[in-house]
Amino acid sequence: MPGLIRRNDIDEVRARINIADIVGDYVTLKGAGVGSLKGLCPFHDERSPSFHVRPQVGRYHCFGCGEDGDVFSFLQKMDHTTFTEAVERMAARVGYELHYEDGGQANSDHGNRARILAANQAAAEYFVIQLTTPDAEPARAFLGQRGFDPGAAQRFGVGFAPKTGLTKHLRALGFTEAELVASGLVGEGDRGTYDRFRGRLVWPIRDVTGQTLGFGARKLLDDDQGPKYLNTPETAVYHKSQVLYGLDLAKRDISRGRQVVVVEGYTDVMACHLAGITTAVATCGTAFGVDHIKVIRRVLGDVDNADSRGLGEVIFTFDPDEAGQKAASRAFSEEQRFAAQTFVAVAPDGLDPCDLRLERGDDAVRRLITAKKPMFEFMIRRVLAGHNLDTVEGRVAALRASAPVVAGIRDQALNIGYVRTLAGWLGMDLGEVGRAVASAHGKVPEAQKPRYGTDAAAAPAPVENGPSLVHLPTDPSTRLERDSLMAILQHPEIIGVDLAQRASRAAYANPSLAVVRDGIAASMDAFESPEWLDRVIAEVPAPFAMLVKELGVAPLPEKEGRDLTAYCRGVTANLIERDLLRRKAELLGRLQRTDAVADPGAYREVQVELVRIEAERRELRSE
């Protein structure tokens, strides 16, 4: 087994990796000031972005839940890897050869998760090759009958699992039986182990980074007694409630176009993408739920504020059968978790996107999405369809059933609009419908009630046990101290050792920021090193560590496009000059109290110090 990775190698890999690229695979990031990006936190459920990434500093920090760290800790928390796995993964990404304390090389068997992912990747490649064999004729026929040529199969990594052969193939590649069982590729029975997927068409299910987490497989042969669709069981990497098929292919267009289309099956995703709807994704053997919403909101950049609310689109496609109607109800029950607008698209004649494309072409799929209806309109009409609106009794019953749906609309303008629309559909007095909706507000299911940023269920636990940036006073003096510390912590290469040392000797009015200043003074031997920020965090008392982390990541209060060097050195120089001015005032008072005749030496000493301070002020200004 290799020893610890050398510290210099870890620092080199960290320096070569742009943390924004890695975080961006999981979270849609947008500009938040000079050198700062922000998005929805992947570690807690929130409606307004408080998760900040500073590429130049190489760190992230959430001002909501307090999660903080570098690219390695991010991967550890998101993908449940070890530190060694995270470093080795990033080293492989940038093509850097790692060295270990004992002189050894990386051991490919460095973690259970990594081995499962490697086994899945090897299996995916094996399945793709098997699709070209004679035994895979039923699989090729199935794809062809649904309008998918070999190019489409290759685009989505579709393959074929033969009745036997996978286990032998993977064992030959060095995978153990325990690893194959842990990956879900192999099952265990009374007679020993067996290939889980046999004689089936197989789709790889990948995460947002493109790593294969598991598989979905469709039955093809008459002698297959298993279910129509069979998925990888829950493993260390595959959690069906948290993955969406096609997200790796759709994430860029989802982020750019602020739209996601949720369909019901793998072939529907393929059909949509081939028809030009490249934002389509599907759940994997489970109902659309809260965890799926969290994933979509992060990729969509679904922010709930006055400027962004309602800008994105989440479009659901449902079959008109009973299962599809139940799926629609489940999706509607979670609708209010989105800040984006939600829609429903139902194809004519009950066709799903795959069948629609097959029968009527790509343009029909595009028209299906274009003809979407707002989720609330769809659900209200569905409720009304269950009543006879030709009778007074039917209209009254329909009003009672539909009023809670309208009452659950969080947008006040939409609420009012749907009251009018419902009155028109029912042919009833507007005031009567309005009163029914108002009285139905208490009957709205909890999951459908409005969820704003103050929603207790979604809000993170407050960051406690120490000061935070949000608790600092906003007076000019405190702002100057805060901004200079941010510049020193985030851009030591701009500030320089001399200016940083002078700033660390300055007096601070805010006691919390003074502690951070002292931590900087105690860490000057690590100035401009990769461990700079971590050293300062380690030096300050534990209750102040969070404040240092926030100062090290928070956006600088400077406009984009301006000279960053001038700002950082300028704000630090202003702090030092403020301290020089304070010392000058103290010396002038001392000079007035000193008798030049009785104590000429002391008087002269004060004068010399005054001249030195004034010279230092002029030097600062000239710089």
Side-chain angles (χ1 to χ4, degrees):
M1 291 292 289
L4 297 174
I5 302 172
R6 291 180 183 175
R7 170 56 60 183
N8 290 343
D9 283 0
I10 295 173
D11 293 340
E12 183 63 27
V13 173
R14 185 189 288 110
R16 294 191 185 193
I17 288 289
N18 184 340
I19 188 173
D21 293 339
I22 306 304
V23 175
D25 283 335
Y26 301 83
V27 180
T28 293
L29 298 172
K30 297 186 178 180
V34 178
S36 182
L37 301 166
K38 69 178 179 180
L40 294 172
C41 180
F43 303 115
H44 80 279
D45 192 14
E46 63 177 0
R47 300 194 69 83
S48 297
S50 58
F51 183 78
H52 286 252
V53 177
R54 296 283 289 175
Q56 289 180 296
V57 183
R59 296 188 74 90
Y60 64 88
H61 182 85
C62 178
F63 289 84
C65 67
E67 285 287 350
D68 176 276
D70 61 8
V71 64
F72 302 136
S73 61
F74 181 82
L75 290 173
Q76 285 180 265
K77 293 169 184 174
M78 286 300 298
D79 291 343
H80 308 289
T81 66
T82 65
F83 177 77
T84 298
E85 289 173 351
V87 175
E88 290 177 339
R89 179 170 155 190
M90 291 298 96
R93 182 181 177 114
V94 298
Y96 184 84
E97 182 180 355
L98 295 173
H99 302 86
Y100 296 78
E101 294 296 343
D102 64 356
Q105 298 297 313
N107 185 343
S108 60
D109 191 13
H110 57 255
N112 185 50
R113 177 184 170 85
R115 293 296 287 168
I116 291 175
L117 291 172
N120 284 340
Q121 183 58 35
E125 294 169 358
Y126 174 80
F127 291 147
V128 168
I129 293 173
Q130 293 302 309
L131 186 61
T132 63
T133 64
D135 289 344
E137 177 55 34
R140 293 191 296 272
F142 177 91
L143 290 172
Q145 291 165 5
R146 281 154 181 77
F148 302 126
D149 59 19
Q154 183 178 17
R155 176 174 173 179
F156 293 91
V158 182
F160 173 70
K163 288 190 174 182
T164 61
L166 176 64
T167 299
K168 181 179 179 180
H169 173 75
L170 294 178
R171 289 293 295 271
L173 294 177
F175 294 98
T176 67
E177 184 175 286
E179 289 170 342
L180 298 182
V181 171
S183 70
L185 292 167
V186 169
E188 291 182 298
D190 295 337
R191 300 180 180 179
T193 59
Y194 59 90
D195 291 352
R196 181 175 180 83
F197 306 114
R198 291 164 291 173
R200 287 176 173 256
L201 191 66
V202 180
W203 287 266
I205 300 170
R206 307 182 179 113
D207 67 7
V208 292
T209 69
Q211 295 185 110
T212 302
L213 305 179
F215 298 91
R218 192 196 190 281
K219 180 168 67 173
L220 297 171
L221 307 177
D222 293 337
D223 60 354
D224 188 338
Q225 301 301 310
K228 182 178 180 181
Y229 280 95
L230 182 65
N231 284 69
T232 295
E234 294 286 307
T235 69
V237 302
Y238 180 76
H239 307 287
K240 62 183 179 181
S241 65
Q242 300 173 13
V243 295
L244 289 163
Y245 175 71
L247 187 59
D248 58 311
L249 301 175
K251 65 177 181 180
R252 298 296 181 192
D253 289 342
I254 290 174
S255 176
R256 291 170 183 166
R258 301 294 302 276
Q259 180 198 77
V260 61
V261 177
V262 182
V263 298
E264 294 195 331
Y266 307 129
T267 56
D268 292 333
V269 171
M270 293 176 68
C272 283
H273 279 253
L274 294 172
I277 308 300
T278 55
T279 58
V281 298
T283 59
C284 302
T286 186
F288 186 80
V290 174
D291 287 334
H292 295 123
I293 292 174
K294 292 177 182 178
V295 173
I296 286 178
R297 291 193 66 236
R298 289 198 298 268
V299 177
L300 190 64
D302 187 32
V303 177
D304 191 0
N305 57 42
D307 295 327
S308 302
R309 187 181 303 132
L311 291 181
E313 293 184 350
V314 181
I315 305 169
F316 295 92
T317 66
F318 300 115
D319 293 338
D321 58 16
E322 183 178 352
Q325 295 300 303
K326 288 182 178 179
S329 296
R330 286 192 297 267
F332 175 68
S333 69
E334 304 294 348
E335 188 276 342
Q336 300 281 15
R337 294 183 184 273
F338 288 106
Q341 298 180 66
T342 54
F343 299 88
V344 175
V346 178
D349 302 326
L351 299 174
D352 60 31
C354 181
D355 289 335
L356 183 64
R357 175 176 179 265
L358 189 62
E359 291 191 14
R360 305 184 187 182
D362 290 346
D363 190 54
V365 178
R366 294 190 289 269
R367 288 198 303 270
L368 166 66
I369 304 304
T370 303
K372 61 189 183 293
K373 296 182 183 298
M375 174 70 83
F376 279 106
E377 177 182 336
F378 173 82
M379 292 306 297
I380 294 170
R381 285 189 177 278
R382 182 173 169 230
V383 171
L384 297 183
H387 297 82
N388 182 4
L389 302 185
D390 292 331
T391 67
V392 173
E393 291 80 4
R395 290 193 294 272
V396 171
L399 175 59
R400 288 172 179 167
S402 59
V405 178
V406 179
I409 302 177
R410 67 174 177 227
D411 188 301
Q412 188 63 28
L414 281 177
N415 186 289
I416 295 172
Y418 272 106
V419 168
R420 292 195 183 97
T421 299
L422 179 58
W425 287 340
L426 292 171
M428 301 178 73
D429 179 72
L430 178 61
E432 182 181 357
V433 173
R435 288 189 295 273
V437 170
S439 64
H441 184 75
K443 302 176 184 178
V444 178
E446 192 64 32
Q448 294 172 219
K449 288 185 178 179
R451 297 176 183 268
Y452 298 99
T454 55
D455 179 15
V463 178
E464 300 176 349
N465 301 325
S468 173
L469 276 181
V470 297
H471 300 138
L472 292 177
T474 57
D475 61 279
S477 177
T478 303
R479 288 204 306 269
L480 177 61
E481 294 170 2
R482 176 202 66 189
D483 296 348
S484 63
L485 288 175
M486 288 167 59
I488 294 170
L489 290 171
Q490 295 181 23
H491 295 284
E493 76 287 353
I494 291 178
I495 300 299
V497 174
D498 178 63
L499 207 61
Q501 286 179 330
R502 290 154 71 183
S504 69
R505 293 192 294 266
Y508 275 55
N510 185 277
S512 296
L513 296 178
V515 174
V516 179
R517 173 207 60 195
D518 295 340
I520 287 174
S523 308
M524 288 306 298
D525 60 318
F527 194 73
E528 290 193 62
S529 75
E531 297 87 13
W532 167 236
L533 186 58
D534 288 326
R535 274 292 303 278
V536 179
I537 293 170
E539 285 290 346
V540 301
F544 294 86
M546 186 61 68
L547 178 58
V548 177
K549 293 176 182 179
E550 292 177 347
L551 289 167
V553 177
L556 295 172
E558 173 66 346
K559 293 183 179 179
E560 195 76 46
R562 293 190 180 179
D563 188 347
L564 185 60
T565 298
Y567 168 78
C568 290
R569 292 186 64 84
V571 72
T572 308
N574 288 340
L575 176 79
I576 296 171
E577 185 178 6
R578 186 193 72 172
D579 189 61
L580 291 173
L581 185 61
R582 175 191 61 79
R583 291 162 59 189
K584 178 180 178 179
E586 291 177 353
L587 287 170
L588 287 173
R590 180 179 167 189
L591 190 67
Q592 290 178 347
R593 295 189 299 272
T594 304
D595 190 330
V597 177
D599 194 354
Y603 193 84
R604 176 62 179 168
E605 181 182 336
V606 175
Q607 285 184 318
V608 170
E609 184 65 12
L610 278 169
V611 172
R612 190 194 67 76
I613 286 178
E614 192 58 36
E616 187 175 352
R617 289 183 67 197
R618 287 197 297 270
E619 181 185 0
L620 266 178
R621 291 185 174 184
S622 67
E623 291 178 355

